[in-house]
Amino acid sequence: MTDRSPQEAHALPSRISLLIIGGGPAGLAAAVAAWDAGCHDLLIVERDDELGGILNQCIHNGFGLHRFKEELTGPEYAGRYIEMVRERGIPYLCSAMVLEINMRREVTLISPETGLSQIRAGAVILAMGCRERPRGALGTPGTRCAGIMTTGTAQRLTNLEGYLPGRRVVILGSGDIGLIMARRMTFEGAKVLACVEIMPYSSGLTRNVVQCLQDFNIPLMLNHTVIDIHGRERLEGVTIAAVNPDTRQPLPETAQRIDCDTLLLSVGLIPENELSRMAGVPLSPGTRGPIVDQSLATEVPGIFACGNVLHVHDLVDEVSEESARAGRAAVEWLARMKRPAAAAETVTVPVREGRGVRGLVPQYLQLTDRASFSPDETWPITFRPDDVYRGGVVLIRADGKLIQRRKTRIMTPGEMVVERLKAADLPAGPIRELTVEVEGVPQHA
Amino acid sequence: MPERDIICIGCPMGCSLNVTVENGEVRSVRGNLCNRGVRYAHDEVTAPKRMVTSLIRVGDQGPPLSVRTDKPIDKALIFPCLDAIRQARVNLPVRRGDVVIERVLGTDVNIIATRDLG
Amino acid sequence: MKQQQKIVWSGADERKRQSKPFDGEKVYDACIIGGGVIGCAIARELSRWQLSLGLLEMRSDVSEGTSKANSAIIHAGYDAKPGSEKARTNVAGNQLFEPLCRELHVPFRRNTSLVVAFSSDGLAGLRELKSRGEINGVDGLSILSQAELRRREPAIGPSAAGALLAETGGICSPYELTIALAAHAVLNGLDLQLNCKVGQIRHDGRWFHLQTSRGPVRCQVLINAAGVYADTIHNQLSRQPIEITPRRGEYWLLDKSVSDAFSATIFQLPTAMGKGILVSPTVDGTMLLGPTAEDIDDKDDVRTTAQRLDEILRVAAKTWPDLPRGQFITSFAGLRAHARQNDFILGEVADCPGLINAAGIESPGLTAAPAIGIELARLAARRLNAPRRSQWQPAWQPPQPFRLMETEQRARAVRDNPAWGRIICRCEQVTEAEIRAAINRPVGAATVDGIKRRTRAGMGRCQASFCTPRVLAILSEELGVSRLELTKFGNGSRILTGRIGETVRSHEPPAADAAAGGLEVSHD
């Protein structure tokens, strides 16, 4: 916050071409792409005190191999994008929260610096990211003592504020943040006793299982969960048990207590779509994010979505790529709106989840005049398999007819699959629907 | 010839590598999708290396400085390296990429800042 | 009013005071043990008289026991046995609730209660309840047909056959009420002592001598509002022992996105199969399911159990078949202070003059609290021959919550003070200004849970994941203590264990050859 007195605070414009909600990796990449596509009347709104989003607390390496061809840490990756934003002079407002948004893209936001503002945006990009599932959502029984928090909260406390949340740690869930925090806590002298995962596979990247758990002899207990929490004031221990592999119900006879002072939860990420709902944007139950077409347009005209608010990604590089597409698409949409006569008729083709496919994005294609696609245009189609598949094949069909087939080495639910659908491969003539399916033997079915 | 199955940590793909080793030397690597896998397999069999990322406390309040090795360091040196980082003192301001410790523990690895601070 | 504005309430000073032993002996005319809704209601009423008044609470905040974890229902009064203390104080308390909450700026809503019969056999039971209620003096009771019930509550389960409508049933925020009662009493002279656990008590015929964890206390009238611990207080002073059993009740709380499922509080008509589970909206827009009932031995054991949490869902499904399981935000448990005689124990103890009991206060204790407060305060004041105070300060008015403000009000608030523009809890839209105000007020917050109950920061769907670091920073700044000393709810409930870069680590080398074996994970 600046030391400017509130009377002098500058006001925001009442109209803007493009408003980007969220200044994390998605919002930054969307802003840069939109600027480069010619839209210079835009604003990034970020609720934290600085740009960069969750990357700022991800001090580990593993970012940027695709995007920058080198391995960076989270703050470095964010720093590169913040630099691009600053070089271009893209306006942004930190410590600012969007309070309301409607279908007409009228937005109310507040910040200590600018007070309360109401802005009418030509287009909006939703880039609010995701949040972690808390303990309450799991209904894990036991006491409600101190020492239980999500891994993301622990990561913020440790990496951005310099405080340690505990010394003897159990991690429930094996999402990437959980795995990374196992190593981080170990580096800070804590003893990480176990990483407990209810599924038969880690929900994080395999490399993180190797370099964060195995390197430090931290046991990964698959098919296990926490069934009780002990401690009146500070956490004193948890009881864990194996689960029945079919029902995922705990087996009481396998219960064992682990004494610990900290339980970190890494049990899933939830796209943060409160504002999307407020704007009337329809959501997909599969991704818990907005339903979008291949240009990342939601079903509300002029509202686009990208990054973890759309669907939870594993790799920030993919967030950047997706968000840049959203940024460009928003600019194109703004341009189209200026000359409505030119708007071509479009056909909506649903893309359906076939066997083995979960969390598919986009949920439909918007096809205009076929000639308007360049022959080498491709559209990413992303999903997660419902199980681990070795040697599985990804099939894309148009009205039952196979149009694309790709054999994979291994697919796991912990790693998003990205298919690239070539516009040129779409059959001529009308299409009713596309389906995406996985062919292969699920490892745990 | 002895074989080893390892997971490449070179990138998020996490390729499963099958490595044949003879007299402590890598004879062949299978399963890699890129050259990084060959390099990783070689290092992992002969002298495993890891990137190290950590924090340096700066003053009593305020955020710590995040740092990393500028290249992977011997796996056996992870904890000594962390100790060196813990004991390091930095003068603000620091810029992303600034070398905070030169040639840590006498290796050819530098510790660099990963954010701007101050 | 003018006087109130002069006083600067400093959370830092108060925290310092509350964590120190007393300077010598504390002497009061009247002293209350227990800072729950009952103790605080009595304290507030007693502060109308000219006397020196103390309240001893063993935890770090008021409303840390039963008063923070209950159904939050303001009962109409049809349930209690005619002629019982429960029936009398319930009906009287219900009538007092609305003006009291208005005076104290505490949320209250008369959302009505429905007792639903889930078979036509139950209809007779509804009529019986209605006539019992009428004997107790409850107004606004009527029987709803199945069709009427379904029209009012379309989400109700298919087997619902009819219901008793109680128009005077309501809901409130029990912890906000308790805090407001305590704050109002403090403004009128109450000496509130936190972290003050009472040990041995002796009566010398004129004075009660109490040993507490913060030092000795002496008083002429001792009021026992110690909740589940009321028997350990009473039994030190009387030869007619009482027995209070902690009866644990577990609850589920659902996100406000499902707040429109029911508008009334839905009780199930008790059957041979059990008392049933209630489904109720809360004044905060969330939805509450519970409670179970389980008698336990341990007076502090508020754990939840898988078995009981399942039971709630199973039984509640009768009321709410479409109960959305993805919308849980938390589960919790509270203890009811159940007396063996199954009624409230109110009044002066026969063989110990000066000892006044408010014991065995289980449901409908929250509803009865205003009536019990008036009744027992009068009794205590009479005993001390205390005159009424000529001046009584009005209640503390906390700032209006940002989440309830209109756009114009928000714009004005942030213009006056930029801290209204910084959202600390994003789920409940709580601002920095509100958090600071919750610390620096009479009976201010000194813990993370204290902030939560005064502002709702951390009560929402992310369950404090986002706001915890920010709340810790503000608490540390306002209280003038290191974040390492901050707790969730006092005593040993510390949230942070150290700083980075200072931990002595074990010089364990990394796993020598871990990656060599490939992925080795236990699969059993």
Side-chain angles (χ1 to χ4, degrees), chain A residues 389 391-395 405-408 411 437-440:
Chain A
Y389 291 85
V393 181
V394 183
L395 306 172
R405 183 178 192 280
R406 187 175 69 90
K407 191 164 165 33
T408 65
M411 285 187 278
E437 66 174 77
V438 170
E439 193 179 74

Side-chain angles (χ1 to χ4, degrees), chain B residues 73-93:
Chain B
I73 191 168
D74 280 352
K75 198 172 159 186
L77 292 180
I78 291 176
F79 283 102
C81 176
L82 286 166
D83 275 342
I85 291 172
R86 193 169 291 132
Q87 284 152 21
R89 292 282 165 269
V90 291
N91 297 317
L92 298 183

Side-chain angles (χ1 to χ4, degrees), chain A residues 150-174:
Chain A
T150 62
T151 44
T153 305
Q155 191 178 44
R156 180 178 176 101
L157 287 167
T158 309
N159 293 350
L160 288 184
E161 309 201 357
Y163 288 88
L164 291 180
R167 297 185 190 283
R168 288 178 61 82
V169 183
V170 169
I171 297 176
L172 174 60
S174 61

Side-chain angles (χ1 to χ4, degrees), chain C residues 432-481:
Chain C
E432 180 186 336
E434 291 163 272
I435 295 190
R436 294 191 191 273
I439 299 167
N440 300 308
R441 54 160 282 176
V443 194
T447 64
V448 171
D449 281 359
I451 293 285
K452 184 169 91 170
R453 285 194 292 272
R454 285 164 183 80
T455 65
R456 288 196 62 71
M459 289 264 191
R461 49 177 73 101
C462 96
Q463 287 286 290
S465 299
F466 181 79
C467 65
T468 295
R470 291 154 178 90
V471 167
L472 289 173
I474 297 174
L475 268 172
S476 155
E477 206 182 296
E478 290 290 341
L479 298 178
V481 298

